[in-house]
Amino acid sequence: MLSAQSDATDKIKNEGLQHSGVMNFAFHLTDASGPRLTNSPGFFRAANWAKDELTKMGLTNVSLEPWGDFGQGWEQNRCYLAVTAPYYFPVVAIPRAWTGGTPGKKMINEEVMIIRAKDSAELYQNYAGKIKGKIVMIYSGDTLKPSFEPDGNRFSDEALEKMANSKPDTARRPQNNLNADQMNAARQRQALQRQMGEFYKKEQPALVLSMSRAGNDGTLFVQGGGTYTKDAENNYAYVMVSSDDYLRIQRLVLDGQKVKMEAEVKTTFYPSDLKGYNVVGEIPGTDPALKDEWVIVGGHLDSWQGATGATDNAAGCSVMMEAMRIIKASGLQPKRSIRICLWSGEEQGLLGSRGYVKNHFADPADMILKPDHGKVSAYYNLDNGTGKIRGIYLQGNKEAGPIFSQWLEPFHELGAKTVTIDNTGGTDHQAFDAVGIPGFQFIQDEIEYDTRTHHTNMDTYDHLVPADLMQASTIIASFVYNTAQREEKIPRKALPKPRGTVNRGF
Ligand SMILES: [Zn+2]
């Protein structure tokens, strides 16, 4: 048994490290497909390409499987902004998702106004009736700072050791733990944002400029700005401007100079099919007693619109497609079936994976289990950027620890050895974990994820690290194969209690 396992590992390593197809997959999902906002034309280019490719690989039951209602697709068709007075300079800007275009058929050329209001009363008092047809920007108190830290990072041995030594009772989600004051401030900001949105709809500026978190060097963080529900109306033009350009324009306006800008923004909404789709396919199992059970792997195919979503999450999808290719090409015959799911709607709240889990396994609201709930051994996810695998988060599943530790042994030489009891959040494994199906996300080196690529206009193919993606594909192929061959399924945690219909976020 052990020698059969190491023979399979050798085959997988050889295929994954010497004959990798992962960067070819990544090219097709990024450069060739374009941005993959859920239900956009780019998303369907990628989804249909992936479907054909998985079919060519020899997978069965490959399809775009609807998971439920999503809403409208959207894409940008034109975005040009430049300051024309006091002198000419081009401006880096990208439309926020699900927002509209500038009025009329021609380019607009208007004065830029700064809006500075601490609440909606001040907003209406000072600006009602004054911004129609204008280009407006909200005052920003941010400043840019030189960066003395490197953009790219890998886990240090100390950091990994600390994770390995986490205890079950201290295991916690490492991110997004806001205190009460921060929560309040965030709520107030959101409320003011909503009121601003209402104000713009009523007052009809020609274009609204915004600046997100201060990103240096032309990097802009850009996500949504409008709504995608079926009755969403075509909104006002609303773009994210690079911080460097935004603050420069702001200083000129505050100095009292007449700043004029020409701009043309055009976008399209796609209301004809409101359903959301995941790409699914499988390698059928070969063991009569186990082939009705599954190992599932996934990443999310949808991205934001600012670039081509290379690290978020073409990387994960390419790795999972490559893991399937490696298993097929190695001639291995998995006992359990292996299913790949490339999710959509992840960026809007893990919608595709949650829909899938609800349709096939259980709804966390009532925890009434469907028959297939018991047939999944494990779900593996990759969605923390391009970085290689350093280990795996157990998500509190203590009994899986020794199994994964053993499976990582052949990969210590490739830098992967850490097994931590910790939870990690924000990715699709949570949809499975929420109904008691073992769901795991791997520990990945950060590389430039938070500093440079995550949800930015810099999330492009060139920010992928080929050697890291090859390493990840190889390790995942091995994990998946071992899971398919293991006599027992991966041990499960206690079933969660029904959540009720209250949305507790993720
Ligand atoms: Zn994301």
Side-chain angles (χ1 to χ4, degrees):
M1 179 66 210
L2 263 183
S3 84
Q5 191 176 336
S6 77
D7 183 44
T9 307
D10 288 347
K11 281 184 183 162
I12 287 171
K13 272 188 171 176
N14 177 56
E15 190 61 39
L17 300 175
Q18 307 302 328
H19 307 282
S20 180
V22 73
M23 294 309 288
N24 176 50
F25 296 151
F27 163 76
H28 283 279
L29 294 179
T30 59
D31 294 337
S33 298
R36 301 176 307 279
L37 193 74
T38 298
N39 277 3
S40 68
F43 174 83
F44 286 111
R45 272 194 294 277
N48 286 312
W49 174 82
K51 180 182 145 205
D52 291 347
E53 194 66 23
L54 293 170
T55 306
K56 266 191 253 165
M57 238 183 249
L59 270 62
T60 58
N61 296 325
V62 184
S63 70
L64 269 64
E65 180 181 307
W67 52 257
D69 292 327
F70 175 73
Q72 307 192 52
W74 174 96
E75 71 177 348
Q76 50 173 325
N77 308 110
R78 192 170 173 79
C79 181
Y80 167 77
L81 276 77
V83 166
T84 54
Y87 52 87
Y88 180 90
F89 65 93
V91 169
V92 176
I94 291 176
R96 299 177 65 147
W98 292 288
T99 62
T102 45
K105 288 212 162 65
K106 287 210 189 89
M107 190 159 331
I108 59 166
N109 192 350
E110 292 292 337
E111 194 176 340
V112 180
M113 283 180 62
I114 290 179
I115 292 187
R116 207 170 174 172
K118 68 173 186 309
D119 53 31
S120 71
E122 221 175 271
L123 184 67
Y124 278 88
Q125 198 172 13
N126 297 343
Y127 300 100
K130 291 179 186 158
I131 64 168
K132 189 174 162 81
K134 295 276 192 286
I135 297 174
V136 300
M137 64 195 292
I138 310 293
Y139 172 79
S140 167
D142 275 341
T143 51
L144 300 186
K145 295 186 180 63
S147 42
F148 293 100
E149 303 284 331
D151 278 0
N153 268 304
R154 293 194 184 276
F155 276 107
S156 64
D157 291 345
E158 296 73 47
L160 288 169
E161 193 164 318
K162 208 172 152 204
M163 289 167 87
N165 292 330
S166 282
K167 295 279 171 294
D169 51 339
T170 58
R172 60 187 170 80
R173 185 178 305 175
Q175 62 218 43
N176 285 341
N177 286 329
L178 300 181
N179 65 34
D181 284 354
Q182 288 166 320
M183 291 280 276
N184 254 332
R187 252 183 239 122
Q188 266 171 27
R189 265 200 312 277
Q190 276 166 10
L192 185 59
Q193 289 250 301
R194 259 198 312 279
Q195 289 153 354
M196 300 282 282
E198 293 306 312
F199 183 70
Y200 293 144
K201 266 184 201 157
K202 198 158 148 276
E203 300 288 328
Q204 299 181 337
L207 174 63
V208 179
L209 312 179
S210 61
M211 171 177 139
S212 65
R213 149 188 165 194
N216 276 352
D217 310 327
T219 297
L220 57 97
F221 294 79
V222 56
Q223 301 179 213
T227 44
Y228 51 82
T229 48
K230 73 173 189 303
D231 46 4
E233 43 192 301
N234 206 327
N235 250 318
Y236 49 89
Y238 192 11
V239 299
M240 196 67 86
V241 174
S242 83
S243 307
D244 318 64
D245 291 335
Y246 196 91
L247 295 173
R248 178 179 177 186
I249 296 166
Q250 177 173 282
R251 281 189 298 275
L252 287 166
V253 177
L254 289 176
D255 186 53
Q257 304 212 25
K258 193 176 172 94
V259 178
K260 287 195 82 177
M261 182 181 256
E262 58 181 17
E264 188 174 10
V265 178
K266 294 288 172 258
T267 65
T268 307
F269 282 75
Y270 292 88
S272 65
D273 184 356
L274 302 168
K275 282 206 282 287
Y277 297 88
N278 301 315
V279 180
V280 301
E282 58 192 31
I283 299 175
T286 54
D287 184 302
L290 297 177
K291 66 183 171 41
D292 289 336
E293 296 182 354
W294 305 302
V295 189
I296 307 180
V297 296
H300 69 91
L301 192 59
D302 66 303
S303 76
W304 286 108
Q305 76 283 14
T308 54
T311 67
D312 188 17
N313 181 232
C317 292
S318 304
V319 162
M320 293 311 180
M321 289 180 71
E322 170 67 359
M324 300 300 263
R325 190 200 67 78
I326 291 170
I327 288 167
K328 287 297 277 186
S330 306
L332 298 168
Q333 301 287 322
K335 292 180 177 171
R336 290 187 178 80
S337 297
I338 302 171
R339 189 175 286 184
I340 182 171
C341 298
L342 306 178
W343 313 113
S344 71
E346 191 274 350
E347 297 294 2
Q348 287 71 45
L350 314 184
L351 302 179
S353 55
R354 285 177 165 173
Y356 184 89
V357 164
K358 194 170 152 184
N359 294 338
H360 288 268
F361 308 125
D363 182 345
D366 57 30
M367 282 305 290
I368 297 169
L369 308 185
K370 295 184 189 289
D372 286 350
H373 182 276
K375 294 185 182 165
V376 184
S377 178
Y379 170 75
Y380 299 106
N381 195 76
L382 198 75
D383 182 21
N384 286 174
T386 188
K388 71 178 174 188
I389 289 178
R390 308 304 303 272
I392 191 163
Y393 295 97
L394 289 176
Q395 214 68 24
N397 187 339
K398 201 170 153 226
E399 286 176 58
I403 302 166
F404 292 162
S405 288
Q406 197 217 328
W407 290 354
L408 282 171
E409 269 168 29
F411 301 103
H412 287 189
E413 60 184 30
L414 299 179
K417 64 164 191 243
T418 303
V419 174
T420 176
I421 193 73
D422 282 350
N423 294 323
T424 185
T427 77
D428 291 297
H429 70 289
Q430 286 179 292
F432 289 80
D433 189 54
V435 298
I437 295 174
F440 305 99
Q441 159 72 32
F442 291 88
I443 303 168
Q444 294 177 258
D445 275 337
E446 173 91 18
I447 315 294
E448 304 168 312
Y449 202 49
D450 261 5
T451 50
R452 193 58 69 184
T453 64
H454 182 240
H455 300 184
T456 74
N457 58 337
M458 297 292 156
D459 196 6
T460 56
Y461 179 93
D462 289 295
H463 291 266
L464 298 174
V465 182
D468 283 37
L469 296 178
M470 284 162 59
Q471 185 256 25
S473 312
T474 306
I475 293 174
I476 290 176
S478 176
F479 262 64
V480 166
Y481 183 70
N482 287 338
T483 310
Q485 300 309 89
R486 192 171 187 271
E487 208 161 310
E488 305 286 327
K489 292 195 287 282
I490 297 294
R492 293 184 169 199
K493 297 187 286 188
L495 272 187
K497 294 202 169 58
R499 279 184 184 179
T501 48
V502 183
N503 181 4
R504 295 192 191 169
F506 60 90

